[in-house]
Amino acid sequence: MKMHSVESRFIAIVIGALLVFVAPLFVLFLILSSDRVARERLQNTEVLLEANVQALGKPLWDFDKDSIDQIVTSLQAEADISFVRVRDSSDVIDIRKPDISPDPDDARSVVKTDILYRASDGIKTVGTAEIWLRKQGLFARFTKDEMTIFAIFFFAVATLFTAAIIGNRITIIRPLMRLTAAIEATRRLGSRHHVDWTSNDEMGALAHNFNEMQSKLEREEKELKLAHARATDIYNLTPAMLFSIDAESRITAVSDYWLTATGYRREAVIGQEFTDFVVEESRETYRKRHTTNMEDGGICEVTVRFRCADDSVIDVLILETGVEASSSRQALSLSVMTDVTDLKEAESRNHRQAITDHLTGLLNRQGFESVLDDLIGEADRLGEPLACLFVDLDRFKWINDNLGHAAGDDVLCQVAMRLRRQLRASDVIARLGGDEFAILLSAANARQLAMDISDRLVASLRAPLIVNGAELNVSASIGIAVYPDHAATAACLLQKSDMAMYARKRSGKNGVQLFDNNMVDIARKRLETEQFIDQGLRDDWFIAHLQPIVSLSDGRVAGFEALMRLNHPERGLLPPAEIIGIAEENGSIGQIGDAILSKAIASLAVISRLDGLAESYLAVNFSPLQFEPVLPARLAALLLQNGITPSRIVVEITEAVLMLDNPVVRDVLDALSDLGCRIALDDFGTGYSSLSYLNRFPVDIVKVDQSFTRSLSSDQPDVRRKSRMLVEGIRTISHQMGCAVVAEGIETAEQWDILQAMNIEFGQGYLLSRPLPLDALLEKLDEFSVPAVPARQAIAS
């Protein structure tokens, strides 16, 4: 019969109880009983020995050997006596039973006693008796009755023990075996088995509770399996690449969609590290995802390159969420992998488009600034200088305005191609916008290399460009700045090269200029002037100075030229040429022109009240940027407001305005002419095609440039002769075209005389009067009269 552990422990407990409690008592009982029996037998032996020893006295006295032999035999017959020896005093008789004495060790004790005989003369010792008492076992000491009692006791104990075993097996072991069998069947077969046991005791309650527990677990297991099946179905049916990993980044589960998208088999990926499927350069990024890409909410986001089963590589965005392991649950992880290859390519495409100029294919400003930052870091690391070339085309605006934007785009593309051909493969070129290009050169001799390449760039643009079948000449102004000699940052390097380019522009264009620190002062002064312009427009610092224009024949004041002045409250009058140049560049010239025009016309209205000046005219200079369609209407409103007729207004334009050949400018000039205003061509003879303008545009007055006037009194006879011929030619052509002539820049009486002799009608200059504000001009006008000798009576101021 198979012994079960519970039964074994029960038997061990019972046996232990018997050994601990019953056995000691039984042993104590045996010992006490054995001692009692031993004492009783010893007393009986002693009594027997004493009686028989006294009986031996007479036979020994009489030497009756047969009687002695009978007595010894009877003694030796006792169960407790193993050996008897009787000797007389004279050693005549020596009887032993048995004949051979046993081993002394087998004797429990040896009793020796003298044998006495009462003779007539007293008690005599007639011999000795030696009796060996036999050693006996523990149970040999007991009688049959006692042994029967012992047997009954052992039987009772055995019966009790057997009953306990049988009862334990029936009441405990059998239900436990059934419970164990149910548990084992549940474990092996997976189904919930119940215990077939009913009783009203604790084992019955245990079986009942176990069956209820099994039923509950079976229901929960069914629900769990159903939930797991649903979760698995959802996991696999979700149209996303789902996968789970353990704490060691080993894949524990993947969805069907993941397998379909990647081409792997499930058994080939489960248990593998996820990084085994990531390309090597992205593995470190994935390993550091928790430290570098953890977002709020415990979601980790990382983009890596993933290798599919067919060895194709895709970009994937992985969103991972999970919980760490704890004492109550294992670590959980769920990752969603999305193929973003197209998105990454689109991003790369968009990035390339974002940093690329769509027209020329070069980098744009954003791309250039990004590369510049990188090259600055590279220059710091290698210890090599970095040169920045700022390239600006000199006549591009004229091409755009006169030939159209399509032609301008063609020019930009051809220029970009020519610039690129002069550079090394490692050099960076970008179009910053409009007609501005920037180039980066990195080399140990960056400064000299930049100068050499800049010269080549300028030379490459000398050959005409073919645009729409026509040849166009384009030049460039190039500014150079070197890092770290001229600038400490990327932005500063670009700014310094820009400064150098503008310095080249101011020096005559079409060349190369290396940055120097004086340019910073120029730029600072320019910024200061721009601030003065802005504040002057806000605080009304701009005023109109008027310079008289007189008739050279009689000295009569015929009109006035309005000139712009900025009167700073602390610095006084600022140089107008610099202000006009900057205002035309930043677009504020229109506001300045409106302010001067308004004040000049108001001043003319005041002057008109003076005797002899009611018909004097006002010449106003207009920037090309002021020729807007609304100009005639604005001017008409001002004239109406001040009571001035349009015929008293002369609009002065330069050949630069006419060179634009802009339809808008032409329309505005025609409108002004129709309004009644006269048109004056300023600085005549200094442009490119002056004569043609007299025929193409409604010009009424021609103004001789002051450079020709000064040359009339030159110390060099040849210069004087040529200047006289030029002025006379201008006069003749102008008169033939029906235009009056005004000579500018008269500073000496000799110039007056010469011009008067040439039959030049009008003149102006410092000999006559400087440009003055209205109050000072009104005082000055009193000095003008009809002189007998004009050249000697004119007073310079």
Side-chain angles (χ1 to χ4, degrees):
M1 182 179 61
K2 183 178 178 180
M3 185 70 69
H4 299 277
S5 59
V6 174
E7 189 175 22
S8 300
R9 286 194 295 270
F10 176 77
I11 293 173
I13 292 172
V14 173
I15 293 175
L18 292 175
L19 293 177
V20 172
F21 298 104
V22 178
L25 294 177
F26 182 72
V27 170
L28 179 60
F29 173 74
L30 289 178
I31 293 172
L32 294 177
S33 298
S34 176
D35 289 344
R36 178 184 58 78
V37 171
R39 287 195 303 272
E40 289 179 355
R41 287 189 175 184
L42 182 58
Q43 290 176 359
N44 293 336
T45 301
E46 289 177 352
V47 171
L48 178 61
L49 180 59
E50 183 179 356
N52 285 295
V53 166
Q54 295 304 322
L56 286 172
K58 187 174 184 315
L60 282 176
W61 181 264
D62 293 336
F63 295 101
D64 186 357
K65 190 175 181 180
D66 293 333
S67 298
I68 294 171
D69 186 72
Q70 289 178 357
I71 294 173
V72 170
T73 300
S74 63
L75 284 174
Q76 200 271 332
E78 289 292 329
D80 293 333
I81 298 174
S82 61
F83 179 72
V84 179
R85 182 181 182 183
V86 177
R87 293 181 300 174
D88 63 352
S89 300
S90 58
D91 290 331
V92 176
I93 297 173
D94 186 2
I95 298 174
R96 300 183 182 187
K97 294 291 184 178
D99 295 337
I100 299 173
S101 60
D103 188 354
D105 294 333
D106 292 335
R108 177 162 59 91
S109 62
V110 177
V111 180
K112 293 182 178 181
T113 184
D114 292 333
I115 299 174
L116 302 177
Y117 177 72
R118 187 180 299 275
S120 58
D121 54 354
I123 297 174
K124 304 288 184 178
T125 300
V126 295
T128 61
E130 181 180 344
I131 299 173
W132 290 13
L133 297 179
R134 191 190 308 274
K135 275 187 177 181
Q136 295 179 338
L138 181 62
F139 294 99
R141 299 178 182 179
F142 300 103
T143 63
K144 289 182 179 182
D145 293 338
E146 291 175 335
M147 292 301 294
T148 301
I149 294 173
F150 292 157
I152 293 172
F153 173 77
F154 283 120
F155 178 77
V157 170
T159 301
L160 180 62
F161 181 78
T162 302
I165 296 300
I166 294 173
N168 177 71
R169 175 168 288 273
I170 293 173
T171 59
I172 297 178
I173 298 303
R174 284 181 64 190
L176 285 180
M177 289 176 64
R178 294 186 181 183
L179 180 62
T180 303
I183 295 174
E184 181 65 17
T186 300
R187 183 186 66 81
R188 286 189 295 103
L189 302 178
S191 58
R192 296 291 172 180
H193 285 258
H194 290 229
V195 179
D196 184 16
W197 184 266
T198 55
S199 63
N200 295 326
D201 55 7
E202 289 80 359
M203 295 307 297
L206 176 62
H208 177 71
N209 292 336
F210 176 81
N211 291 337
E212 286 189 349
M213 180 190 70
Q214 288 289 75
S215 299
K216 182 178 180 182
L217 289 177
E218 187 173 8
R219 291 193 301 272
E220 293 178 351
E221 192 174 58
K222 288 181 180 179
E223 294 175 358
L224 183 61
K225 287 181 178 180
L226 180 60
H228 181 268
R230 290 176 179 174
T232 302
D233 290 342
I234 294 173
Y235 192 86
N236 288 323
L237 293 175
T238 300
M241 291 185 281
L242 305 179
F243 69 94
S244 300
I245 58 175
D246 59 16
E248 285 74 31
S249 294
R250 291 190 298 266
I251 298 176
T252 58
V254 291
S255 66
D256 292 347
Y257 192 86
W258 191 96
L259 297 173
T260 302
T262 61
Y264 289 104
R265 292 178 295 107
R266 182 172 274 105
E267 58 270 18
V269 298
I270 298 299
Q272 298 293 323
E273 286 194 19
F274 183 77
T275 51
D276 293 343
F277 305 97
V278 178
V279 296
E280 188 172 355
E281 58 267 23
S282 297
R283 291 177 181 175
E284 192 62 25
T285 301
Y286 181 77
R287 293 190 183 100
K288 293 181 178 180
R289 65 193 183 281
H290 292 143
T291 58
T292 59
N293 299 290
M294 186 65 71
E295 299 180 352
D296 295 339
I299 298 177
C300 173
E301 178 179 334
V302 65
T303 301
V304 297
R305 303 269 290 165
F306 184 89
R307 189 177 303 279
C308 296
D310 59 359
D311 281 339
S312 62
V313 177
I314 61 175
D315 292 292
V316 295
L317 171 65
I318 298 175
L319 295 177
E320 178 183 344
T321 184
V323 295
E324 296 181 354
S326 64
S327 58
S328 60
R329 64 185 176 189
Q330 294 180 342
L332 298 176
S333 169
L334 177 62
S335 299
V336 181
M337 193 168 79
T338 306
D339 185 355
V340 294
T341 304
D342 294 339
L343 179 61
K344 293 291 286 186
E345 290 178 356
E347 286 180 354
S348 299
R349 227 173 15 251
N350 293 338
H351 177 68
R352 287 193 300 271
Q353 292 175 356
I355 66 173
T356 302
D357 176 49
H358 69 281
L359 178 63
T360 62
L362 304 177
L363 290 175
N364 60 15
R365 177 177 288 273
Q366 179 183 351
F368 177 80
E369 290 176 350
S370 176
V371 173
L372 179 56
D373 289 334
D374 294 339
L375 289 182
I376 288 289
E378 187 76 6
D380 291 337
R381 186 176 64 84
L382 298 178
E384 286 189 353
L386 178 68
C388 179
L389 282 62
F390 201 105
V391 182
D392 187 270
L393 303 185
D394 294 328
R395 296 185 64 243
F396 182 73
K397 188 176 187 304
W398 183 89
I399 295 173
N400 242 2
D401 293 341
N402 290 275
L403 302 181
H405 290 284
D409 292 345
D410 194 1
V411 168
L412 289 174
C413 291
Q414 293 190 48
V415 169
M417 186 179 300
R418 290 191 182 186
L419 296 179
R420 178 75 265 183
R421 288 173 180 170
Q422 303 303 320
L423 302 177
R424 303 171 301 172
S426 60
D427 297 335
V428 177
I429 181 171
R431 179 186 173 218
L432 302 183
D435 60 343
E436 294 179 343
F437 297 85
I439 299 170
L440 295 176
L441 310 173
S442 180
N445 59 337
R447 183 190 295 257
Q448 186 59 46
L449 179 64
M451 295 296 295
D452 295 342
I453 289 182
S454 296
D455 291 338
R456 295 207 305 268
L457 295 177
V458 171
S460 69
L461 297 177
R462 289 176 185 154
L465 301 175
I466 306 301
V467 178
N468 296 330
E471 293 186 352
L472 291 179
N473 291 313
V474 178
S475 62
S477 298
I478 302 177
I480 302 174
V482 180
Y483 174 88
D485 298 344
H486 300 145
T489 63
C492 187
L493 179 65
L494 185 60
Q495 179 188 19
K496 297 295 178 63
S497 62
D498 190 16
M499 288 182 183
M501 183 274 295
Y502 273 108
R504 180 66 244 181
K505 289 273 190 185
R506 289 189 293 268
S507 300
K509 304 181 180 179
N510 191 23
V512 182
Q513 178 66 55
L514 183 65
F515 175 82
D516 64 61
N517 290 327
N518 292 332
M519 297 176 186
V520 177
D521 297 333
I522 296 173
R524 188 180 296 111
K525 185 177 181 181
R526 174 188 172 88
L527 177 61
E528 185 181 66
T529 302
E530 289 183 346
Q531 294 174 344
F532 288 161
I533 292 173
D534 293 340
Q535 191 170 2
L537 289 171
R538 290 194 304 269
D539 299 341
D540 196 24
W541 290 353
F542 286 96
I543 59 176
H545 280 205
L546 303 179
Q547 186 178 35
I549 300 174
V550 301
S551 171
L552 295 181
S553 62
D554 55 12
R556 176 181 54 85
V557 176
F560 305 90
E561 180 178 3
L563 299 171
M564 181 276 298
R565 293 293 185 269
L566 194 158
N567 187 17
H568 193 279
E570 297 178 358
R571 299 191 180 187
L573 295 177
L574 301 180
E578 181 178 351
I579 293 174
I580 292 174
I582 294 176
E584 287 183 336
E585 290 179 9
N586 64 18
S588 61
I589 189 66
Q591 295 175 269
I592 296 174
D594 291 343
I596 297 302
L597 180 63
S598 176
K599 292 183 178 181
I601 292 176
S603 297
L604 180 63
V606 174
I607 293 174
S608 298
R609 302 189 189 103
L610 301 179
D611 293 339
L613 297 175
E615 298 300 324
S616 60
Y617 70 87
L618 177 68
V620 183
N621 291 281
F622 283 88
S623 167
L625 300 178
Q626 291 180 265
F627 282 91
E628 300 175 347
V630 298
L631 178 61
R634 186 185 303 123
L635 179 59
L638 288 173
L639 294 176
L640 182 63
Q641 180 181 350
N642 291 276
I644 305 296
T645 60
S647 61
R648 298 178 61 191
I649 300 299
V650 175
V651 178
E652 290 194 1
I653 57 176
T654 63
E655 293 183 33
V657 176
L658 303 182
M659 283 176 60
L660 296 175
D661 199 16
N662 192 317
V664 176
V665 174
R666 179 60 184 265
D667 292 343
V668 172
L669 287 176
D670 290 341
L672 291 174
S673 181
D674 294 341
L675 182 64
C677 300
R678 289 179 289 171
I679 308 298
L681 182 58
D682 198 8
D683 300 334
F684 186 81
T686 60
Y688 292 95
S689 304
S690 304
L691 297 179
S692 65
Y693 298 140
L694 297 178
N695 187 40
R696 292 165 55 197
F697 294 94
V699 178
D700 302 291
I701 298 173
V702 175
K703 301 189 73 172
V704 178
D705 187 71
Q706 60 183 345
S707 62
F708 296 147
T709 301
R710 285 195 297 266
S711 299
L712 292 174
S713 59
S714 174
D715 295 336
Q716 301 179 22
D718 188 57
V719 173
R720 288 199 307 271
R721 181 180 60 82
K722 292 181 178 179
S723 297
R724 184 184 294 270
M725 293 177 60
L726 285 172
V727 174
E728 287 177 347
I730 293 172
R731 179 210 62 196
T732 301
I733 294 173
S734 299
H735 286 173
Q736 291 294 327
M737 300 295 292
C739 299
V741 181
V742 178
E744 295 181 307
I746 301 176
E747 297 179 353
T748 65
E750 180 183 4
Q751 295 169 357
W752 178 305
D753 293 338
I754 295 172
L755 292 170
Q756 187 182 39
M758 289 182 178
N759 199 24
I760 302 297
E761 295 98 316
F762 302 101
Q764 66 184 96
Y766 281 6
L767 176 67
L768 305 173
S769 174
R770 292 176 178 273
L772 297 172
L774 179 62
D775 294 341
L777 179 63
L778 293 176
E779 296 178 3
K780 182 69 176 179
L781 288 176
D782 294 337
E783 301 177 8
F784 286 88
S785 61
V786 179
V789 184
R792 289 158 176 77
Q793 292 186 1
I795 300 175
S797 59

